[in-house]
Amino acid sequence: MKQIKIVLALLMTCALSYGQYSKDVSNVGTTAAPFLEIGVGARAIGMGGAFVATANDVSAMYWNPAGIANLKNIQAIFVHTNWLVDITFDYAGIVFPLYQYGTIGLNLTALNMGEMKVRTIDHPEGTGEFFDARDLALGLAYGIKITNRFALGFNVKYISQTIWKEHAAGFALDIGTLYETPWKGLRIGAALTNFGTDMRMDGNDLLVYYDVDPYQLGNNDRIFAELKTDAWPLPLNFQLGIAYDALMSEQHQLTLEVDALHPIDNTESINLGMEYQLQGKFFLRVGYRNLFLKDSEEGFTLGGGIQLPLMGRIQGGFDYAFADFGRLQDTHRFTILLRF
């Protein structure tokens, strides 16, 4: 009972701290660093992004950092995603268990749009110059078990966005909780992600010449000035999930999960997911993202994976996920997960 009260108190704290951002409108396109909302790992995406209450591998640093507190060995993950319109998305992370002192982890997220031509009205086919746009996030995660059933985790991130000669930077914090209920196989997880500073673009291309008084003859009309852009908040999101191991035996395991999402830059939605394991080596996953979300292009997801011994005690996991994006191109995610 004491653990349940702790969980409810933390969940209420997260919800209240988040409530100030809630509005009746969707707020789509009103946040900085939207790449932080791209899900990590083929396993979680195959389950429709319903993973906050499962979160039992290294990818938990993204979904719910409390999950890494339950890991018993070193794990590393490498993710590659062919994102929309030839954008590439990559993620790498590693966790180190410290036993009774918790678990620490490092993670890197990178999104790259590649080089593009600089086009103007006078030169619609290009000026001969090229520019690129890229995003980066570096994270340090920590998770610890408060009791044998309750875990708490944090992920501190440095965030950077660059487009040509403009740059923005900020910091964010993810907070997660994970509770294993007394009912066998039933877990409750919650995560408040991307709580941090606003981000504002600045750089050399915002320096301009300015004439303080264009009607005054003989004045200096080439005074340096800087254009100031607006600052935008990060894509704050509160996600609450319930997972249940409906089937558990030596040969088979079936996990079901449902997550509710409450983001700052969109309407509320629900993610549904399922994972079937055969002998702990073969995996089949199916899910549905953004159920009830207004004007969503995302929906059905499907994935699978295999886990095999590599060298000595090293185990290798290879996962794939397909995600339907409606009128946009479908996405394909590939993940390599190593256990040492």
Side-chain angles (χ1 to χ4, degrees):
M1 181 62 67
K2 181 179 179 181
Q3 293 92 332
I4 295 178
K5 290 181 179 178
I6 293 174
V7 173
L8 292 176
L10 284 170
L11 293 181
M12 288 178 65
T13 301
C14 290
L16 289 173
S17 65
Y18 175 75
Q20 59 180 311
Y21 297 96
S22 178
K23 295 182 179 180
D24 294 332
V25 296
S26 69
N27 288 334
V28 172
T30 60
T31 58
F35 77 102
L36 297 174
E37 299 178 284
I38 301 176
V40 166
R43 180 187 178 199
I45 296 303
M47 296 175 65
F51 200 68
V52 73
T54 299
N56 57 2
D57 62 32
V58 59
S59 69
M61 287 191 289
Y62 173 86
W63 297 98
N64 183 355
I68 66 174
N70 296 315
L71 302 183
K72 305 301 182 183
N73 51 12
I74 299 174
Q75 293 188 17
I77 188 173
F78 306 92
V79 179
H80 176 74
T81 301
N82 296 319
W83 197 236
L84 307 174
V85 294
D86 297 326
I87 297 173
T88 59
F89 176 84
D90 297 284
Y91 179 91
I94 187 168
V95 295
F96 301 91
L98 304 176
Y99 305 102
Q100 70 267 29
Y101 302 107
T103 303
I104 62 171
L106 300 171
N107 51 84
L108 168 68
T109 307
L111 183 141
N112 197 313
M113 302 184 187
E115 283 195 338
M116 294 169 276
K117 291 182 179 180
V118 176
R119 303 175 188 269
T120 66
I121 295 177
D122 295 330
H123 300 88
E125 297 303 319
T127 64
E129 295 179 283
F130 291 85
F131 76 98
D132 65 354
R134 57 190 181 277
D135 301 326
L136 181 72
L138 297 172
L140 174 63
Y142 178 73
I144 188 169
K145 297 196 71 171
I146 306 300
T147 70
N148 63 333
R149 293 185 179 275
F150 178 72
L152 180 66
F154 306 90
N155 185 37
V156 181
K157 297 179 288 191
Y158 166 76
I159 305 162
S160 171
Q161 287 195 286
T162 302
I163 177 169
W164 204 3
K165 301 174 184 177
E166 276 66 62
H167 177 261
F171 293 90
L173 174 67
D174 303 334
I175 306 172
T177 61
L178 188 60
Y179 177 60
E180 297 181 15
T181 71
W183 296 277
K184 186 176 181 181
L186 183 65
R187 299 176 300 278
I188 301 173
L192 183 71
T193 56
N194 304 319
F195 182 80
T197 61
D198 291 350
M199 296 180 66
R200 182 177 69 87
M201 283 285 184
D202 58 19
N204 291 339
D205 283 331
L206 296 177
L207 296 176
V208 296
Y209 289 119
Y210 181 71
D211 189 347
V212 177
D213 187 359
Y215 302 103
Q216 178 66 40
L217 296 177
N219 71 318
N220 187 353
D221 62 352
R222 297 182 68 80
I223 298 175
F224 268 118
E226 181 180 7
L227 299 176
K228 186 175 181 180
T229 61
D230 288 334
W232 298 92
L234 295 173
L236 187 70
N237 180 54
F238 179 68
Q239 188 164 340
L240 174 67
I242 299 176
Y244 178 59
D245 296 325
L247 176 63
M248 295 182 65
S249 68
E250 293 183 0
Q251 297 292 320
H252 311 278
Q253 181 172 328
L254 179 65
T255 300
L256 307 174
E257 179 160 347
V258 55
D259 285 9
L261 290 78
H262 188 30
I264 186 179
D265 59 350
N266 217 322
T267 56
E268 292 81 2
S269 63
I270 291 177
N271 291 344
L272 304 173
M274 180 194 76
E275 179 184 62
Y276 169 72
Q277 298 184 32
L278 176 62
Q279 300 176 347
K281 297 180 179 179
F282 306 98
F283 304 85
L284 178 63
R285 306 173 185 109
V286 65
Y288 197 93
R289 288 179 61 86
N290 295 343
L291 187 65
F292 306 125
L293 182 70
K294 294 180 180 179
D295 304 318
S296 174
E297 292 294 335
E298 295 184 78
F300 176 73
T301 64
L302 182 67
I306 185 172
Q307 181 174 310
L308 298 171
L310 296 180
M311 297 181 295
R313 299 175 58 184
I314 301 177
Q315 296 281 327
F318 306 91
D319 296 294
Y320 164 79
F322 162 87
D324 177 21
F325 264 80
R327 288 169 290 185
L328 304 176
Q329 69 184 49
D330 302 328
T331 63
H332 305 271
R333 289 170 169 85
F334 302 90
T335 299
I336 297 175
L337 192 150
L338 302 177
R339 294 177 172 87
F340 300 89

